[in-house]
């Protein structure tokens, strides 16, 4: 799976409800998800404490940035991809939305979903934990070299 910087535009369908967006990806794995009510109930149980019950019927375009982040990451939490690629996940949104993104990345990590975070801003690494790889011109470089490169231009 892939999460890009602006999730509302990149991977969610604004004209669909929150529940429809959550089911969209799951429909690849599960036949009948659109018509069997127990699947919707299971989704709500799995996401209890993450997504408020009144949000499931709302259209994504009517959500605030924090709730959009919750829906986006919940979609991948349900789907459990073999690898989740996050491209500048903290670039858009306010401080609360960034915090929600960080919390949801932690939940994904707890579910043993591997995450590849791609960012050009080293400050964003403070929001996460895990191993770091620095790349310059397609070549892996040492952390010291990356920092030297970043801060010598200032």
């Amino acid at each position: 799976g892939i999460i890009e910087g602006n999730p509302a535009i990149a991977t969610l369908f604004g004209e669909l409800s929150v529940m429809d967006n959550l089911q969209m990806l799951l429909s690849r794995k599960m036949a009948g998800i659109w018509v069997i009510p127990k699947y919707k109930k299971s989704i709500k149980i799995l996401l209890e404490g993450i997504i408020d019950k009144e949000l499931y019927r709302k259209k994504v375009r009517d959500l605030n940035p924090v709730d959009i982040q919750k829906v986006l990451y919940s979609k991948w939490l349900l789907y459990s991809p073999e690898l989740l690629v996050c491209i500048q996940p903290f670039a858009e949104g306010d401080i609360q939305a960034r915090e929600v993104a960080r919390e949801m990345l932690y939940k994904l990590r707890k579910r043993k979903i591997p995450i590849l975070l791609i960012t050009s801003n080293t400050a964003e690494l403070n929001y996460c934990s895990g191993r770091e790889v620095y790349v310059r011109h397609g070549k892996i470089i040492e952390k010291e070299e990356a920092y030297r490169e970043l801060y010598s231009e200032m």
Side-chain angles (χ1 to χ4, degrees):
I2 297 177
I3 297 176
E4 294 185 47
N6 189 338
I9 294 169
T11 59
L12 296 176
F13 295 92
E15 66 282 356
L16 297 179
S17 72
V18 167
M19 181 59 79
D20 290 342
N21 270 279
L22 293 171
Q23 289 177 295
M24 185 77 63
L25 197 58
L26 282 175
S27 67
R28 292 181 179 182
K29 284 187 174 182
M30 304 165 71
I33 194 160
W34 299 103
V35 293
I36 301 172
K38 71 177 181 180
Y39 288 130
K40 287 182 183 182
K41 186 177 179 181
S42 294
I43 288 171
K44 289 177 181 179
I45 290 169
L46 286 168
L47 298 178
E48 191 172 16
I50 298 173
I51 295 180
D52 296 329
K53 289 180 182 179
E54 68 273 0
L55 291 182
Y56 287 103
R57 289 195 168 149
K58 281 189 173 184
K59 294 194 181 305
V60 168
R61 69 172 171 240
D62 298 330
L63 300 179
N64 64 48
V66 170
D67 289 330
I68 288 172
Q69 291 284 27
K70 288 179 181 179
V71 172
L72 174 69
Y73 287 95
S74 292
K75 181 173 85 166
W76 294 110
L77 198 59
L78 292 169
Y79 189 74
S80 296
E82 290 182 31
L83 174 67
L84 182 62
V85 179
C86 299
I87 302 169
Q88 298 198 12
F90 310 110
E92 295 285 327
D94 56 20
I95 293 171
Q96 283 182 307
R98 287 186 194 136
E99 180 61 20
V100 166
R102 189 194 61 75
E103 289 171 6
M104 294 302 292
L105 286 169
Y106 176 75
K107 289 178 190 299
L108 288 158
R109 196 163 167 221
K110 270 180 62 176
R111 290 262 322 264
K112 307 276 190 241
I113 297 171
I115 301 165
L116 174 61
L117 189 133
I118 300 173
T119 182
S120 59
N121 183 350
T122 57
E124 289 181 355
L125 297 175
N126 295 328
Y127 288 107
C128 315
S129 62
R131 294 183 290 169
E132 301 169 9
V133 176
Y134 297 87
V135 179
R136 181 173 180 262
H137 301 298
K139 180 182 169 193
I140 295 176
I141 59 174
E142 295 294 322
K143 181 177 183 175
E144 294 76 24
E145 184 181 346
Y147 277 81
R148 207 172 31 252
E149 183 75 26
L150 285 169
Y151 298 114
S152 66
E153 296 176 5
M154 296 182 118

